[in-house]
Amino acid sequence: MKKTVLVSGGAGFIGSHVTVELVQAGYDVVIADNMSNCDDTNYRGVCSILGRELPFIKMDFCDGDAVNELFAKYRIDAVIHFAAFKAVGESVDEPLKYYRNNLLSFLNVLEAARSQGGCNVLFSSSATVYGEPEELPVTEKSPRQPATSPYGDTKQMCEDFLRDCVRAYPGVKGIALRYFNPIGAHPSALIGELPRGVPNNLVPFITQTAIGRRECLSIFGNDYPTEDGTCKRDYIDIVDLAKAHVCAVTRMVEGRMKEDYEIFNVGTGRPVSVLELVNAFEKVNGLKLNYKIAPRRPGDVVAIWADPSLANEELGWKAERSVEETLAAAWAWEKHLAGK
Ligand code: UFG
């Protein structure tokens, strides 16, 4: 029998890609989103890719009654919780907004999982929990560092909520996926990243500069202790990242977990500097990008990349797309948005 996965935040960047991969892998998906940080572009894109409509519920996960009703209405085998605020800088200015939304929504998911006698819960975590790592690459056993923003705090706290609920409530099982830097777009160019206002993240800023919506990319710092002086990250293709969720959900619903709470890094294991990324974007798309070197951005870590071997071995998942393919997809998406 088909299993049903509830995807909170399913109209967003990661949620929409995960929905496509889940449906293509044979799952029924229920999307829930309050649309506070997106319009229906990605939802419509998901329906076009799949050739049909999916159940969509506009709701806020901070409303506990609504979450309970949702669980009562659908027989949910697994829930993937993406619905959260994600702007690091804004979380510093408005910590209460972040604590209320990101923590309360996840508590409501956990309450619902407990009251229905158990559920498989996948939490969308982040490499931000590792802070500035002492050793590279980071494994799941690398220590978490004190968070440098309320956003990062909420990721750490939600991981702990999940761990403790799994321990306390029979039938509740959990996986936290720690994403490195998700970038790119679906090869159809029908879904992708839709930042509101000025993008905080590197790749949307690059594509918006290339299309002419921004004048110039600022590279934040070229005096870091790396080969070319710019920061290094582990950029993971969004479709590869989405596939990791399918592997994790399948592991849970098929009862193949080794522990009732598991953590996996989702990255490529390949560090790429900001300059290398910019150069790769120019080369693969055959264009020149207007950029300048600017001062360091406060709070940036120098370098972080994953040791993804646990996910490779246990989930049977591996990042497949090259950074060039991913940057070509990101550019195709930006052009699609611009109607070009
Ligand atoms: N960068 C620039 N110019 C820009 C934007 C970014 O040079 O306009 C640089 C940053 O300084 C950094 C790299 O590009 O070196 C990547 O920056 P992103 O903002 O794209 O990604 P981060 O690694 O800062 O952010 C990621 C996740 C966040 C998470 C954060 C925690 O996107 O969700 O890691 O460190 F909170």
Side-chain angles (χ1 to χ4, degrees):
M1 203 170 89
K2 270 193 160 189
K3 302 281 186 190
T4 302
V5 184
L6 169 62
V7 179
S8 85
F13 174 44
I14 304 180
S16 58
H17 287 82
V18 169
T19 297
V20 168
E21 296 304 316
L22 283 169
V23 172
Q24 289 179 340
Y27 287 96
D28 279 332
V29 174
V30 177
I31 300 174
D33 203 302
N34 68 359
M35 311 299 278
S36 70
N37 197 30
C38 62
D39 58 21
D40 66 353
T41 306
N42 276 330
Y43 173 68
R44 285 189 287 103
V46 166
C47 298
S48 305
I49 293 167
L50 298 173
R52 65 183 167 95
E53 299 277 311
L54 295 181
F56 176 88
I57 294 105
K58 184 165 187 284
M59 59 167 281
D60 193 333
F61 272 70
C62 290
D63 178 348
D65 291 339
V67 178
N68 285 327
E69 270 170 40
L70 191 63
F71 272 77
K73 181 165 177 202
Y74 296 94
R75 207 185 39 79
I76 305 291
D77 297 291
V79 50
I80 309 184
H81 187 60
F82 294 111
F85 293 144
K86 60 174 185 180
V88 178
E90 185 190 44
S91 80
V92 176
D93 298 333
E94 293 197 62
L96 283 173
K97 176 177 167 180
Y98 274 67
Y99 289 133
R100 174 169 295 280
N101 186 59
N102 293 8
L103 303 182
L104 187 56
S105 61
F106 194 47
L107 289 174
N108 286 336
V109 167
L110 293 168
E111 285 279 3
R114 182 196 58 163
S115 17
Q116 69 157 28
C119 193
N120 297 300
V121 181
L122 197 162
F123 177 64
S124 164
S125 191
S126 164
T128 193
V129 303
Y130 296 116
E132 180 88 63
E134 273 159 29
E135 276 179 51
L136 286 163
V138 288
T139 74
E140 293 77 359
K141 292 199 163 60
S142 301
R144 292 192 325 191
Q145 309 277 357
T148 52
S149 70
Y151 162 81
D153 266 319
T154 66
K155 290 294 176 197
Q156 297 201 356
M157 287 183 214
C158 286
E159 285 192 352
D160 295 345
F161 294 171
L162 183 55
R163 178 200 63 204
D164 295 345
C165 288
V166 163
R167 202 181 282 156
Y169 305 124
V172 177
K173 302 198 189 313
I175 290 184
L177 295 183
R178 291 178 176 161
Y179 315 143
F180 284 69
N181 287 56
I183 62 165
H186 194 265
S188 65
L190 292 171
I191 54 175
E193 205 167 355
L194 275 169
R196 287 224 161 141
V198 182
N200 291 312
N201 297 115
L202 180 58
V203 170
F205 209 106
I206 289 177
T207 56
Q208 288 195 8
T209 306
I211 206 96
R213 280 180 70 187
R214 312 275 155 211
E215 207 163 303
C216 182
L217 167 76
S218 293
I219 293 184
F220 299 137
N222 69 346
D223 55 353
Y224 285 100
T226 59
E227 290 82 350
D228 64 21
T230 64
C231 296
K232 288 177 162 182
R233 295 287 183 275
D234 185 334
Y235 295 95
I236 170 83
D237 180 86
I238 187 67
V239 177
D240 280 339
L241 178 87
K243 287 180 175 163
H245 293 73
V246 177
C247 296
V249 164
T250 304
R251 179 180 175 91
M252 290 200 281
V253 299
E254 290 182 354
R256 289 192 279 104
M257 294 174 76
K258 288 194 175 153
E259 319 253 348
D260 288 345
Y261 173 58
E262 297 178 327
I263 301 172
F264 298 102
N265 284 342
V266 184
T268 65
R270 170 187 68 203
V272 174
S273 76
V274 176
L275 265 177
E276 284 170 341
L277 196 86
V278 167
N279 292 337
F281 180 85
E282 290 184 327
K283 193 161 172 220
V284 70
N285 295 313
L287 41 82
K288 277 275 158 225
L289 198 69
N290 195 18
Y291 69 84
K292 63 174 187 219
I293 305 298
R296 291 181 179 194
R297 181 171 71 176
D300 275 341
V301 302
V302 180
I304 181 162
W305 66 92
D307 176 344
S309 40
L310 192 66
N312 298 162
E313 285 153 26
E314 292 295 326
L315 295 180
W317 167 88
K318 202 170 189 318
E320 281 167 2
R321 285 173 107 187
S322 68
V323 82
E324 286 78 13
E325 284 173 280
T326 305
L327 291 170
W331 180 229
W333 164 244
E334 190 68 58
K335 286 193 289 186
H336 167 79
L337 283 179
K340 289 185 183 170

